[in-house]
Amino acid sequence: MTTEVGSEPEVKKEPEKSSEEAQAEQQQQLAEQPAEPSESEPSAAAEPQPTPTDSTKPDNTDQQENAEAEPSSPPPSSGQKKEKGISRFLPPWLKRQKSHSQVEPKESSSPTDTPNQTLTEKQEEEEKEEEEAEAAEEQVGKAPEEAEKRQEEAGPKEEGEAVSPVVEQPAETKEVKAEVKEEVKAEEVQAENNSVGSVETQPAKEEKEGTSAEKKGEKGGEEVQESSVLSPLKLGKKMKIVVCHVTLLDGTQFPCEVEKRAKGQYLFFKVCEHLNLLEKDYFGLSFKDNADQRCWLDPTKEIKRQIRNSQWQFAFNVKFYPPDPSQLTEDITRYLLCLQLRQDVSSGRLPCSFVTHALLGSYTLQAELGDYDPEEQRLDSIADFQFAPSQTKELEEKVVELHKSHRGMTPAQADVQFLENAKKLSMYGVDLHHAKDSEGVDIMLGVCANGLLIYKDRLRINRFAWPKILKISYKRSNFYIKIRPGEAEQFESTVGFKLPNHRAAKRVWKVCVEHHTFFRLTNPEQPTKSKFLTLGSKFRYSGRTQAQTRQASTLIDRPAPYFERTSSKRISRSLDGAPVISVSDHGHMLDSARTPGSGENGHDPALELSSDSKSKLRVQGENIYVRHSNLMLEDLDKTQEDVLKHQASISELKRSFMEAAPEPRPSQWEKRLTGSPATGLRLQAQGSAEDKLNSEINGQPEVIEVVEETVVIEEVVKAAKPKSSAPEVSVTVASSATEEVPEVKEEEEKSASSDSESEEEAEFHPQSPSDSAHHIQEEPEEEQEQSQKAPPTNAEPQQDAEPETTDKVEAVVNQQKEEDEKTPGEETVVAPEDAPNGHHVQDGEEALTSLGAVAEEEEELEPCVVNGDASHAETERVPQVICCSEPPVVKTEMVTISDTFAAQKTEIATKEVPIVHTETKTITYEAAQLDGTGDGEPGVLMTAQTITSESLCTTTTTHITKTLKGGLSETRIEKRIVITGDSDIDHDQALAQAIKEAKEQHPDMSVTRVVVHKETELAEDDD
Amino acid sequence: MQADFGRFTHAVMRAAPDSLAAQALRSGPAELQVDIEAVRREEEQYVSVLEKTLGLRVVRLEADEELPDCVFVEDPAVVCGNTALITRPGAPSRRKEVGEVMFAKPVDATPVTATLDAGTPVVATPFFVGLSKRTNRRGAEILADTFQDYAVSTVPVLDTLHLKSFCSMAGPGLIAIGSSEAAQKALKTMQQMSDHKYDKLTVPDDLAANCIYMNLPDKGHVLIHCTPEQFPESAKVFEKLKDHMLIPVPNDEKRKVDGCLTCCSVLINKPSKV
């Protein structure tokens, strides 16, 4: 783990690999021995000594490994690539073994001490999660082949566990215990062990992770050896890591190793790190989906889930074109923007006149070649540059002529001039999407900083500024905007556009949401506590707004980084023949041509299902925007959460280092954090939100979201206040929850999409249908994965709880066991739903404990299987009639690292965290049981769909599961209705209404069971 | 809005032929008598303002008796920046005007085949092209293709020949607009389409809204507008502009043949350095 510290960005790939290798080697060695216990012990011992020892170890091992094991694979990138290729062919369990690689990345991240720490921290967090998951996997691996299935399931679970650990973080001692437990459990029950591991505090986790990783590595190595003929080392590498190829704006390729489960932001941060870019909020990673449409990689989601079957090929692009580039803080940012615009111009994506082509070209020459030199610059050499889609000699002459007039201009100044002229172009920053108007006429939708532009042919035929737009929605392949009534008008009008398909509609919608949030909102509003009507699409802009990023940029305090300006000449040469300029351009070109709007698929993954549009849209007028902002904030929070987690974990490590007693973070950390670009920005962003709520929001957005889904937000808020003092803990919790949540959401979305296909979406999921084909195909797989994951997640959260309440822990373990038994097929299916719900519930509990006050009232209708949310027990117990669970009172001590982010500078203040009392009531009504199946019966899952929609007070999650049992196909529709709100809300009425609606929707279905799960949390405010 | 918006160095004009009085196209009653001498007096005053008052270099083309409307040089070309779009005037009798104007313009010229009266677009961001009987949609598209730096939007112009018949730019971000229903409607369209927030200067008389804005190095904001004699109420509105150098120029006679202030010249910015 710690080894990675040394690795850092430059070495990253290699170190990871090496670490993996090393791990693998170690694992092998260890494997010979009793392995687990022994390994774990060493790791535990190492733990107290944080990074240094670890780092040294890994390095050595890595080196050794490299020398020994991987002589053949000198260049990491190549090795990675190879791995990818191989990994494809590897069986799933082997892939899981990839966890080794994951562990490695963690290690690398651990080195965070370096300036890059912030980035790495996030990565680390992710890695940790992964590692944890891996660990679980490893444990599973220990178990016989049968375990493999479990492992798969566990993988997801592990992730959840990872999240949970964050919560636990506060207690160091607990960690140790947990470790011990883990070891024991691992020996005894693999699955249980995993859960326990999750429970452990962060430091413990790390240690555990390290141990687990080692174990995993060993196991994995062993397995690999056994399973495949290939050398263990190679296999291990291949299994875990995937090499992403990112085409940078200068046309070069940046190979980057990532763990297969890594989220988009991991890769993005790696790239930004590589570029030495701080003002990264304007940028994003794009990829081509199966339909060759450019999609934006959602930073909050797993890469793998987004690219699906596509290759791990990405392009680094400008996502939000700053209207005034002169306000960018750093020259390097402007330079990258210039590169993007040069692509845009030369590809024709950004049309401009002859004169402008010449002018822009002349600034390009000035920036790249310096002052005009008649001897060096002849026209034939100038021809190597591509200034325009169709370049004439006349243009080149004009370029040269203008170039002469720029004498004395520095490259940075030339860039500024370039941007000053480019920004005036009418199509600057306009993201075009093909569409048809209500009459079927071909038009183009242009999303830009100021709003939505409508083009027909080459004419702008309409324009809707953001302030004029009350609501943005999409349903199926239609995209709608609701227009604010004009002065003389009384009624709002809705304008609809027809897009080629649902995905395109979703893309436009996402792009609009993102652009609106980024450019229009100054500060994302705090999420409304009680009000979260937005169930449908959970997609939100996951970054900072322009205002925030500007604010953050003002805090950038580093000497202007040196960067090399690659000549666009090369690119143009390669492209010479082809109109397209550079490889990187291809994407743009195509995008521009085909998918002008190429929107952001990345977002799609998030949750835009039909309901989304509705939910968000529901809000009228500007409020909608606000919500968006809130949503956005949440997403932001997530990312921040990751950061927080990292920090928290780091802080814990330090603590463990320093001593058991919590102490303020060492100044070094602060420096490092601030020093590292990523942290600095993040900190700033967080800092922007000064209010406790804000801080919470930023730090814990995820938590809030979760709460929203299942719990009443208001209460949460209360809790938050007390927390404010000890943000980190809550944050960590939140992050854990959030991380899980997003996945779940994705799953839901996917499922939802499938549902839509199967069913008429009608009320719940206006948007669901669209995804249809693609989603459908993919969905089953995903669902399975989800299902696998889901059960674990439940277990994990419980695990988290464990430390807090022993009783719970036991229960959890039991459940896990049950789950394990049940694992296959249907249950797994259920799991996906459960997982989200479970997360909520569990998370909620955790959150409650951690955060303090969250009052949750969950009412679940479980027609069939699981609403896992309500309670783990419920899911598992499904068949059982009534479950009344005494509301557990969870007392949690939270160690809070205060305001690291909020303060912009990382200062860790440890405070005793509020004790949260969580009361949970679960009432289950069961009608005649239709299916025992839901619980444990093995079925073949045909399809599973989850539809989520929101109404004002209720959230309904519909999960449709088709299973084949003994030749009978069975369709289960599970609806989980979460009613959240203040005490004012009439839950009974809401429930009745929800049931009524459910019946109306499925008249031929019978309600088998209604489970009412009430959770009320009281938070005590210490502060 | 461009920094050099309103900056001009040259003006292209063309003398009025005698045939103008009888043969020039007019939307008003045909029996309306046009005093060619009065037209020429206005012309001289116009030139004098441009040349002597404002220091522009005026290029004057010879009149062509075959082209009664040739005095209105604005229509055959759209000039923006260093690019001129040579149009194909909507009125067949005027299409021959194009040739000479093209040669006269010291800028790059692009021939066009679509129907477009250059008097149609209001140069702003975006370009606004009035769709009328003199200008069709194709013309607007061509314009968009030619001036790719700009967005081009169309504005339906119902009754009048040109968008400029009731609308023009009176300054950066300032639209002079007539108060007729059609003008106000067009204004709404333009405001919605525009990326920028435009201030409006509403004048009682539609024709008075046709004015010429310049931003000259030594003079600052210059506005050539109608005279109080012609449109007393509208002139008062213009006189409220404190930051502008206001130059009333008579246009009463040419108005009879649909002539506007802007119609009589093509303004070009061509600094001598390049």
Side-chain angles (χ1 to χ4, degrees):
Chain A
M1 308 293 292
T2 54
T3 56
E4 293 176 357
V5 174
S7 65
E8 298 185 358
E10 297 175 353
V11 185
K12 294 176 182 177
K13 298 176 181 178
E14 294 178 358
E16 293 177 354
K17 294 178 180 178
S18 64
S19 62
E20 292 176 355
E21 294 175 354
Q23 293 176 350
E25 293 177 356
Q26 293 175 353
Q27 292 173 352
Q28 294 175 351
Q29 296 174 353
L30 294 175
E32 295 175 355
Q33 300 173 352
E36 296 176 353
S38 65
E39 292 176 355
S40 63
E41 292 175 357
S43 64
E47 294 175 354
Q49 299 173 354
T51 52
T53 57
D54 293 347
S55 64
T56 57
K57 291 179 180 179
D59 294 343
N60 295 337
T61 56
D62 294 347
Q63 296 174 350
Q64 295 174 353
E65 292 176 356
N66 293 335
E68 298 174 358
E70 300 175 349
S72 61
S73 61
S77 63
S78 64
Q80 294 174 349
K81 293 178 180 178
K82 293 177 180 178
E83 291 177 359
K84 290 181 179 178
I86 298 171
S87 64
R88 294 177 183 174
F89 300 95
L90 295 176
W93 64 84
L94 290 177
K95 291 179 180 177
R96 291 179 182 173
Q97 291 176 349
K98 293 176 181 178
S99 62
H100 298 295
S101 63
Q102 294 176 350
V103 174
E104 295 173 356
K106 292 178 180 179
E107 293 176 355
S108 63
S109 62
S110 62
T112 53
D113 294 345
T114 62
N116 295 335
Q117 290 175 347
T118 55
L119 297 176
T120 56
E121 288 177 354
K122 292 180 179 179
Q123 297 173 351
E124 290 179 359
E125 290 176 355
E126 295 176 355
E127 293 175 356
K128 290 177 180 178
E129 296 176 355
E130 295 174 354
E131 290 177 355
E132 291 176 354
E134 293 175 354
E137 292 176 356
E138 292 177 357
Q139 294 173 351
V140 176
K142 294 176 180 178
E145 295 175 354
E146 296 175 354
E148 293 177 351
K149 294 180 179 179
R150 293 180 181 177
Q151 291 175 349
E152 293 176 351
E153 296 173 354
K157 292 178 180 179
E158 291 174 354
E159 293 177 351
E161 292 177 355
V163 175
S164 63
V166 175
V167 175
E168 296 176 354
Q169 295 175 349
E172 297 175 354
T173 57
K174 290 180 181 179
E175 293 176 355
V176 176
K177 292 178 182 177
E179 292 175 353
V180 176
K181 291 179 181 178
E182 289 179 353
E183 294 175 357
V184 176
K185 291 179 180 178
E187 295 175 356
E188 295 176 357
V189 180
Q190 297 173 345
E192 292 177 356
N193 291 338
N194 293 337
S195 63
V196 175
S198 63
V199 176
E200 299 172 354
T201 57
Q202 294 177 344
K205 291 177 181 178
E206 293 178 353
E207 294 174 355
K208 291 178 180 178
E209 292 176 354
T211 58
S212 62
E214 293 175 355
K215 294 177 181 178
K216 293 178 180 178
E218 296 175 357
K219 294 177 181 179
E222 295 175 356
E223 292 177 356
V224 172
Q225 293 174 352
E226 295 175 358
S227 62
S228 63
V229 180
L230 299 177
S231 69
L233 295 175
K234 291 180 180 179
L235 291 175
K237 294 178 180 178
K238 295 174 181 178
M239 302 298 288
K240 300 174 181 178
I241 294 181
V242 176
V243 179
C244 296
H245 297 276
V246 181
T247 303
L248 303 178
L249 288 169
D250 62 1
T252 60
Q253 290 280 327
F254 171 62
C256 181
E257 283 184 350
V258 300
E259 197 277 325
K260 198 174 182 185
R261 291 191 180 281
K263 291 189 172 131
Q265 63 187 13
Y266 175 86
L267 179 59
F268 181 67
F269 287 141
K270 282 283 189 187
V271 173
C272 291
E273 195 176 57
H274 172 74
L275 294 170
N276 201 11
L277 173 65
L278 291 187
E279 295 176 285
K280 51 179 168 288
D281 297 296
Y282 301 95
F283 302 86
L285 292 176
S286 64
F287 63 95
K288 291 296 191 96
D289 66 8
N290 295 333
D292 205 29
Q293 299 288 312
R294 189 182 71 162
C295 306
W296 289 107
L297 190 66
D298 189 325
T300 63
K301 295 184 178 178
E302 283 185 19
I303 298 170
K304 183 181 156 204
R305 287 180 176 273
Q306 301 182 57
I307 62 172
R308 297 181 173 167
N309 295 331
S310 303
Q311 296 185 347
W312 294 68
Q313 179 78 45
F314 305 92
F316 180 79
N317 291 126
V318 173
K319 188 174 184 181
F320 302 112
Y321 289 75
D324 187 1
S326 65
Q327 289 195 24
L328 295 175
T329 298
E330 295 198 303
D331 287 339
I332 190 173
T333 313
R334 268 187 291 272
Y335 168 66
L336 293 173
L337 178 58
C338 280
L339 291 179
Q340 176 71 70
L341 287 167
R342 281 166 197 159
Q343 283 183 21
D344 295 345
V345 169
S346 60
S347 67
R349 183 186 187 187
L350 178 58
C352 52
S353 64
F354 174 87
V355 176
T356 304
H357 273 134
L359 188 59
L360 295 180
S362 67
Y363 287 122
T364 298
L365 290 185
Q366 183 68 26
E368 295 184 356
L369 303 178
D371 289 346
Y372 173 77
D373 182 345
E375 294 187 358
E376 286 183 7
Q377 302 176 23
R378 289 169 300 180
L379 272 182
D380 56 347
S381 68
I382 297 302
D384 290 339
F385 290 87
Q386 178 140 12
F387 304 113
S390 56
Q391 186 163 323
T392 61
K393 208 71 185 172
E394 183 187 8
L395 175 62
E396 291 169 5
E397 290 171 354
K398 186 74 176 174
V399 168
V400 172
E401 176 187 335
L402 291 172
H403 182 200
K404 294 176 186 173
S405 68
H406 301 327
R407 182 169 297 280
M409 199 176 280
T410 67
Q413 289 171 332
D415 282 345
V416 169
Q417 289 303 312
F418 179 95
L419 294 175
E420 285 303 300
N421 285 277
K423 76 174 187 187
K424 294 177 188 170
L425 298 172
S426 72
M427 296 303 288
Y428 172 83
V430 178
D431 192 10
L432 288 176
H433 301 251
H434 285 285
K436 292 180 188 298
D437 66 10
S438 57
E439 297 174 351
V441 178
D442 283 323
I443 58 169
M444 300 280 272
L445 300 178
V447 183
C448 67
N450 294 324
L452 185 64
L453 304 170
I454 316 296
Y455 296 91
K456 182 184 175 189
D457 297 320
R458 287 141 290 183
L459 303 179
R460 180 189 292 183
I461 61 172
N462 215 335
R463 175 179 178 275
F464 301 99
W466 293 129
K468 282 281 286 182
I469 300 176
L470 292 175
K471 175 178 165 183
I472 311 168
S473 61
Y474 74 96
K475 182 174 183 179
R476 298 196 175 90
S477 59
N478 296 314
F479 172 73
Y480 302 97
I481 54 174
K482 181 180 280 188
I483 308 301
R484 184 187 301 278
E487 297 174 357
E489 302 163 3
Q490 283 186 332
F491 303 102
E492 302 166 345
S493 58
T494 297
V495 182
F497 304 96
K498 177 83 174 175
L499 281 103
N501 52 57
H502 167 79
R503 305 192 87 190
K506 194 193 221 173
R507 262 202 304 276
V508 176
W509 179 78
K510 283 184 173 179
V511 172
C512 281
V513 170
E514 293 187 324
H515 275 72
H516 171 263
T517 306
F518 186 82
F519 290 111
R520 169 97 174 134
L521 301 179
T522 53
N523 283 309
E525 294 181 356
Q526 300 173 357
T528 50
K529 303 169 183 178
S530 58
K531 301 174 182 178
F532 40 79
L533 307 179
T534 62
L535 290 181
S537 68
K538 298 173 183 177
F539 167 80
R540 293 142 195 181
Y541 171 62
S542 61
R544 292 189 294 211
T545 65
Q546 179 176 239
Q548 289 175 318
T549 195
R550 280 180 178 170
Q551 183 177 357
S553 297
T554 61
L555 301 179
I556 293 177
D557 182 19
R558 68 173 182 181
Y562 170 79
F563 58 94
E564 201 169 324
R565 291 168 195 266
T566 27
S567 172
S568 58
K569 209 170 169 183
R570 303 169 188 168
I571 301 173
S572 61
R573 285 180 182 174
S574 62
L575 299 177
D576 271 345
V580 178
I581 297 171
S582 60
V583 177
S584 60
D585 293 349
H586 282 297
H588 287 291
M589 305 283 292
L590 295 176
D591 295 348
S592 62
R594 298 178 182 175
T595 21
S598 69
E600 308 155 355
N601 293 341
H603 296 292
D604 297 352
L607 320 175
E608 300 72 345
L609 298 184
S610 54
S611 57
D612 301 286
S613 59
K614 290 181 178 179
S615 62
K616 293 179 179 177
L617 296 178
R618 288 179 184 175
V619 183
Q620 295 179 346
E622 294 176 353
N623 291 339
I624 295 171
Y625 293 111
V626 173
R627 282 194 173 180
H628 286 298
S629 63
N630 290 342
L631 296 177
M632 305 288 290
L633 290 176
E634 293 177 356
D635 286 356
L636 293 175
D637 292 346
K638 290 179 180 180
T639 55
Q640 294 175 350
E641 288 177 355
D642 291 349
V643 177
L644 293 176
K645 289 180 180 180
H646 286 293
Q647 294 179 345
S649 63
I650 296 169
S651 64
E652 288 182 355
L653 290 176
K654 289 183 176 179
R655 292 178 186 173
S656 62
F657 256 104
M658 306 302 288
E659 285 178 358
E663 295 177 355
R665 289 184 182 180
S667 60
Q668 294 178 351
W669 273 112
E670 296 177 357
K671 290 179 180 178
R672 292 177 182 177
L673 293 176
T674 54
S676 68
T679 50
L681 294 177
R682 295 174 184 175
L683 291 176
Q684 294 173 351
Q686 294 174 349
S688 63
E690 296 175 356
D691 299 352
K692 295 177 180 178
L693 295 177
N694 293 343
S695 64
E696 292 177 358
I697 294 168
N698 294 337
Q700 306 171 343
E702 294 177 358
V703 173
I704 294 170
E705 290 179 358
V706 173
V707 174
E708 289 178 355
E709 292 176 355
T710 56
V711 181
V712 176
I713 298 169
E714 293 178 353
E715 292 178 355
V716 174
V717 173
K718 294 177 181 177
K721 294 177 180 178
K723 292 176 181 179
S724 62
S725 63
E728 287 184 355
V729 174
S730 60
V731 171
T732 56
V733 173
S735 63
S736 62
T738 51
E739 291 177 353
E740 294 177 358
V741 172
E743 294 177 356
V744 173
K745 292 177 180 179
E746 293 178 357
E747 295 175 356
E748 291 179 355
E749 292 179 354
K750 295 175 181 179
S751 62
S753 62
S754 62
D755 291 344
S756 63
E757 295 175 356
S758 62
E759 297 180 356
E760 294 299 305
E761 299 113 4
E763 302 171 356
F764 283 17
H765 335 284
Q767 306 164 341
S768 56
S770 59
D771 292 349
S772 63
H774 300 283
H775 290 287
I776 295 169
Q777 295 174 347
E778 295 177 357
E779 289 175 357
E781 295 176 356
E782 294 175 354
E783 289 176 355
Q784 292 175 354
E785 294 177 357
Q786 295 174 351
S787 62
Q788 294 174 350
K789 293 178 179 178
T793 55
N794 293 339
E796 293 174 357
Q798 295 173 353
Q799 293 174 351
D800 294 344
E802 291 177 0
E804 299 171 354
T805 326
T806 55
D807 295 347
K808 288 183 177 180
V809 174
E810 293 177 355
V812 173
V813 174
N814 294 335
Q815 293 176 352
Q816 293 176 347
K817 292 178 180 177
E818 294 177 359
E819 291 178 354
D820 293 346
E821 295 175 357
K822 295 176 181 179
T823 50
E826 295 177 353
E827 292 179 352
T828 56
V829 173
V830 173
E833 294 177 353
D834 294 349
N837 295 338
H839 291 291
H840 298 298
V841 176
Q842 297 170 346
D843 293 346
E845 294 176 356
E846 295 174 356
L848 293 176
T849 57
S850 64
L851 295 178
V854 174
E856 294 180 355
E857 294 182 357
E858 294 180 353
E859 297 178 358
E860 296 178 354
L861 297 179
E862 295 181 358
C864 302
V865 184
V866 180
N867 300 329
D869 320 22
S871 60
H872 343 287
E874 292 178 358
T875 3
E876 297 175 356
R877 299 173 185 174
V878 176
Q880 301 172 353
V881 178
I882 300 173
C883 307
C884 294
S885 58
E886 292 299 330
V889 176
V890 179
K891 294 182 180 179
T892 307
E893 290 183 359
M894 313 269 309
V895 177
T896 312
I897 302 172
S898 64
D899 306 352
T900 348
F901 302 92
Q904 295 177 349
K905 296 178 180 179
T906 54
E907 294 177 356
I908 302 171
T910 328
K911 296 182 180 179
E912 294 300 328
V913 177
I915 298 174
V916 179
H917 298 280
T918 305
E919 295 181 358
T920 305
K921 289 183 180 180
T922 303
I923 302 173
T924 306
Y925 304 93
E926 282 193 3
Q929 277 257 336
L930 298 181
D931 302 337
T933 58
D935 297 350
E937 295 183 5
V940 177
L941 174 62
M942 302 299 291
T943 61
Q945 301 171 340
T946 302
I947 303 171
T948 305
S949 68
E950 288 185 358
S951 58
L952 294 177
C953 303
T954 61
T955 301
T956 303
T957 303
T958 304
H959 194 68
I960 301 174
T961 306
K962 289 185 179 181
T963 55
L964 272 183
K965 293 182 181 178
L968 295 179
S969 91
E970 171 180 296
T971 302
R972 288 186 196 168
I973 300 178
E974 301 175 8
K975 289 186 185 294
R976 176 175 177 269
I977 302 173
V978 178
I979 302 173
T980 54
D982 307 354
S983 56
D984 299 341
I985 297 174
D986 184 339
H987 298 278
D988 293 334
Q989 184 176 350
L991 176 60
Q993 180 64 25
I995 295 173
K996 182 183 176 186
E997 291 179 358
K999 285 183 178 178
E1000 290 176 353
Q1001 287 185 350
H1002 308 283
D1004 39 0
M1005 297 290 193
S1006 58
V1007 177
T1008 307
R1009 210 174 58 151
V1010 177
V1011 179
V1012 179
H1013 179 81
K1014 269 194 175 182
E1015 285 192 12
T1016 305
E1017 292 182 355
L1018 300 177
E1020 296 178 359
D1021 296 353
D1022 294 348
D1023 297 353
Chain B
M1 203 58 57
Q2 290 174 314
D4 58 353
F5 178 76
R7 180 138 314 170
F8 300 108
T9 58
H10 293 66
V12 175
M13 298 186 66
R14 191 163 196 178
D18 294 334
S19 58
L20 178 141
Q23 299 175 34
L25 300 172
R26 66 204 71 188
S27 54
E31 60 276 12
L32 198 61
Q33 291 299 318
V34 176
D35 181 356
I36 189 62
E37 290 309 317
V39 169
R40 290 195 171 129
R41 280 197 298 275
E42 291 174 2
E43 196 78 10
E44 289 309 313
Q45 196 166 349
Y46 194 102
V47 170
S48 147
V49 166
L50 293 184
E51 253 181 347
K52 303 195 176 147
T53 309
L54 300 178
L56 296 185
R57 185 170 165 216
V58 178
V59 178
R60 298 199 69 180
L61 303 177
E62 293 295 319
D64 187 340
E65 293 300 329
E66 298 296 316
L67 304 171
D69 290 302
C70 68
V71 66
F72 305 122
V73 293
E74 181 191 44
D75 294 334
V78 179
V79 177
C80 181
N82 290 332
T83 303
L85 175 65
I86 304 305
T87 65
R88 179 169 174 266
S93 65
R94 301 196 55 190
R95 289 182 185 159
K96 286 184 183 172
E97 296 175 18
V98 168
E100 280 205 52
V101 172
M102 181 155 54
F103 289 117
K105 300 200 173 183
V107 291
D108 305 314
T110 305
V112 170
T113 55
T115 300
L116 175 71
D117 266 15
T120 306
V122 171
V123 176
T125 33
F127 270 41
F128 292 112
V129 178
L131 293 182
S132 66
K133 53 189 175 184
R134 290 281 182 88
T135 300
N136 65 15
R137 187 176 189 87
R138 173 81 181 137
E141 292 173 11
I142 300 271
L143 188 76
D145 288 343
T146 304
F147 300 100
Q148 294 192 49
D149 295 355
Y150 302 90
V152 176
S153 292
T154 58
V155 180
V157 177
L158 303 177
D159 303 329
T160 50
L161 287 181
H162 299 148
L163 183 58
K164 277 189 178 174
S165 299
F166 55 73
C167 167
S168 62
M169 296 301 293
L174 179 62
I175 293 180
I177 187 74
S179 52
S180 71
E181 189 179 343
Q184 291 298 318
K185 197 171 178 181
L187 174 65
K188 262 191 173 174
T189 302
M190 289 188 286
Q191 284 178 327
Q192 162 147 0
M193 295 288 193
S194 174
D195 297 325
H196 306 282
K197 190 121 184 149
Y198 285 111
D199 294 326
K200 61 178 179 180
L201 180 68
T202 305
V203 295
D205 307 287
D206 275 7
L207 279 178
N210 182 285
C211 56
I212 301 173
Y213 168 80
M214 285 184 258
N215 181 11
L216 301 178
D218 301 333
K219 313 286 191 297
H221 300 288
V222 176
L223 194 66
I224 300 174
H225 62 86
C226 62
T227 60
E229 293 75 24
Q230 189 178 3
F231 299 111
E233 295 303 317
S234 296
K236 288 180 185 172
V237 175
F238 283 115
E239 285 162 4
K240 291 177 183 171
L241 294 173
K242 299 302 180 191
D243 295 336
H244 289 62
M245 172 182 182
L246 300 170
I247 306 176
V249 171
N251 194 43
D252 207 22
E253 203 63 27
K254 280 180 290 190
R255 180 173 61 114
K256 294 175 183 174
V257 287
D258 302 328
C260 301
L261 284 175
T262 59
C263 295
C264 300
S265 66
V266 173
L267 299 176
I268 295 165
N269 180 28
K270 191 171 181 67
S272 56
K273 68 165 186 175
V274 179

